[in-house]
Amino acid sequence: MQIVKHMLPVMLAFTLLLAGCSSPEEKAIKEVITNELDLLKDLDSGAFEEYISYEELFSQSGEDAALSSEMKDVFDLFFKDFNYKIMEVTVDKKARTADAVIRLTTIDARSLAADFAKVYLKEEMMSTAHGEDTDSVSSLDNRYQLLRDLLTSNSYEKVETTCSMHLSKTEDKTWIIRKDSALENNLVGNLISCLADPDILSPKDTVTVYFDTIKGMSEEEMSRYFKMQNLLNTEDTQKNQIASALVKQLHKHFDYKIKDVSDDGYQASVTVEITTFDSDSIMDSYNRQFEEYLATADAVIDGEEGRLDKSHQLLLTCIKENTASNTSTITIPMNNDGVSWKMEMGKNLEEALFGKLSSSAASAETDSEE
């Protein structure tokens, strides 16, 4: 019994030693994987070009472009904290193939993709607000610029994922890694699939970005974004002044609060409480003053053109002098087109933001004639 007792530690150590041993094939495979993945950790090696197609990261852009400094910077920043551990190797000698299970450490790609979707939507809106062509926003270079800015300004947590790597043995008896789109996606922590995920922003996230962007616009940007001249359907100077006054009121009073969300996966609706200027108060004041004016002899003397001018002057004054706000609740329909959630910009949203003044201002000429 004493001999057995003393032999137990020796037998245990021997068993552990055997368990830790790898066959020559496994050693060769691990060496190939290590040599390749160590290059990704070496930011100066440029090895990412062998594994990750920079066009594939934004395949929906449909654009071919030369590798720019912005693109290289993105991968340098992304792989800054890259690490890996080979967990298991399985060899099929007959088929001359092998599979390896790798545990990868990357930055949180899903959080990065969600942040990208938010800034991309905001930039699309702001390009309209600046009167610019939105095609420049969707360019490959600009997308990489946005990613680089996010990676530079934000700190993302590190996450671990597990992937499989497949290898084949060549005729000269060397092992090579079979590179495919799945491996490409895995090495960037599934960033490619996250960027292409149509649900990366929920309906609530989408509406939040939309209204937050509006809140951050200047008066001039709001005017361009809502195309106020088109809203009033005129290039008339007086009506443009009314449009400008309406935007000033919106800029001063606008706020929102999301109250409820309904989402069935393909269609959704978001109920929003919107605060803006009190258009009813403005119109009540305008109607009262205009009726008082029509009861005077001046209204007859001024003639049709004079009454129209007076109508615009009174409406403009009432808008400028307004200090009252109003809160209303609307439900915004949304649909997912397979790329992202889209808001249906209907008449109810226009009226929630501007009340009935967009149509009232346009019909001021008819009011004056009556």
Side-chain angles (χ1 to χ4, degrees):
M1 290 297 293
Q2 282 293 108
I3 295 174
V4 173
K5 184 178 179 181
H6 287 297
M7 286 295 292
L8 282 175
V10 177
M11 293 171 65
L12 179 60
F14 184 69
T15 302
L16 292 172
L17 181 63
L18 287 176
C21 290
S22 299
S23 69
E25 292 282 43
E26 290 178 5
K27 286 182 178 179
I29 291 166
K30 287 181 178 180
E31 186 176 352
V32 169
I33 295 172
T34 299
N35 289 339
E36 291 285 333
L37 296 187
D38 277 352
L39 288 174
L40 290 177
K41 295 173 65 176
D42 180 4
L43 301 181
D44 295 326
S45 70
F48 70 86
E49 295 180 57
E50 298 293 325
Y51 282 93
I52 295 103
S53 166
Y54 52 88
E55 293 101 338
E56 188 66 26
L57 202 60
F58 294 107
S59 57
Q60 65 269 33
S61 70
E63 180 183 347
D64 293 325
L67 181 64
S68 65
S69 59
E70 286 83 3
M71 297 174 190
K72 185 178 184 305
D73 286 348
V74 163
F75 290 107
D76 286 348
L77 291 165
F78 188 89
F79 284 112
K80 181 179 63 175
D81 296 319
F82 176 81
N83 211 340
Y84 70 94
K85 183 177 181 179
I86 303 172
M87 304 300 293
E88 182 184 350
V89 174
T90 305
V91 181
D92 186 335
K93 292 183 179 180
K94 187 176 181 180
R96 301 169 64 89
T97 61
D99 296 309
V101 178
I102 315 292
R103 187 168 66 199
L104 301 171
T105 300
T106 64
I107 65 172
D108 188 349
R110 187 156 191 87
S111 294
L112 174 60
D115 286 347
F116 173 84
K118 291 174 184 177
V119 298
Y120 185 80
L121 174 56
K122 178 179 179 179
E123 185 143 319
E124 278 189 319
M125 292 177 65
M126 293 307 296
S127 68
T128 300
H130 295 151
E132 298 169 353
D133 188 352
T134 56
D135 287 345
S136 60
V137 179
S138 61
S139 71
L140 203 58
D141 274 340
N142 187 66
R143 291 174 192 242
Y144 271 97
Q145 178 69 57
L146 294 178
L147 266 185
R148 185 178 71 170
D149 292 345
L150 287 170
L151 287 166
T152 302
S153 58
N154 296 343
S155 178
Y156 292 95
E157 293 184 1
K158 289 186 284 186
V159 297
E160 289 187 348
T161 56
T162 300
C163 77
S164 296
M165 188 174 282
H166 309 292
L167 300 93
S168 299
K169 198 172 188 180
T170 63
E171 293 297 328
D172 61 0
K173 299 183 179 181
T174 59
W175 288 97
I176 59 169
I177 298 170
R178 300 205 302 266
K179 300 168 185 176
D180 54 26
S181 58
L183 177 60
E184 180 179 10
N185 188 39
N186 287 327
L187 289 177
V188 288
N190 300 316
L191 180 59
I192 296 173
S193 56
C194 287
L195 286 170
D197 185 357
D199 291 304
I200 194 67
L201 288 187
S202 67
K204 181 179 179 180
D205 291 335
T206 303
V207 172
T208 299
V209 172
Y210 177 80
F211 284 123
D212 279 351
T213 302
I214 290 175
K215 284 185 69 173
M217 288 181 181
S218 67
E219 292 175 16
E220 185 178 355
E221 288 167 341
M222 276 187 178
S223 183
R224 284 203 196 99
Y225 184 77
F226 289 111
K227 298 180 173 62
M228 289 303 294
Q229 285 190 359
N230 294 343
L231 197 63
L232 297 183
N233 194 29
T234 181
E235 294 183 357
D236 183 89
T237 301
Q238 288 180 314
K239 289 185 180 179
N240 283 340
Q241 290 175 337
I242 291 172
S244 179
L246 289 174
V247 170
K248 190 181 289 290
Q249 283 284 326
L250 178 64
H251 188 265
K252 178 181 178 181
H253 293 283
F254 177 72
D255 203 355
Y256 78 98
K257 183 182 294 184
I258 294 177
K259 306 296 288 185
D260 189 38
V261 179
S262 174
D263 177 6
D264 66 9
Y266 298 96
Q267 292 183 321
S269 60
V270 181
T271 302
V272 188
E273 188 179 84
I274 294 179
T275 299
T276 184
F277 57 89
D278 191 343
S279 62
D280 288 342
S281 177
I282 292 172
M283 289 307 298
D284 287 345
S285 178
Y286 161 76
N287 286 328
R288 185 183 67 255
Q289 294 183 48
F290 191 58
E291 286 176 5
E292 291 173 355
Y293 162 73
L294 290 178
T296 66
D298 289 340
V300 179
I301 297 171
D302 290 341
E304 181 180 327
E305 187 174 344
R307 288 192 295 274
L308 178 59
D309 286 341
K310 186 67 174 181
S311 170
H312 287 152
Q313 290 169 16
L314 288 174
L315 182 57
L316 181 60
T317 300
C318 291
I319 293 172
K320 287 182 175 181
E321 293 180 349
N322 175 69
T323 58
S325 62
N326 180 61
T327 299
S328 61
T329 301
I330 64 166
T331 297
I332 302 173
M334 305 187 70
N335 67 86
N336 196 312
D337 61 1
V339 177
S340 62
W341 284 100
K342 301 292 193 299
M343 296 172 57
E344 294 184 15
M345 314 298 280
K347 189 75 174 177
N348 62 335
L349 179 56
E350 177 189 317
E351 290 191 356
L353 293 172
F354 295 97
K356 296 180 179 178
L357 271 171
S358 59
S359 56
S360 298
S363 63
E365 182 172 353
T366 303
D367 293 341
S368 70
E369 289 172 354
E370 292 174 355

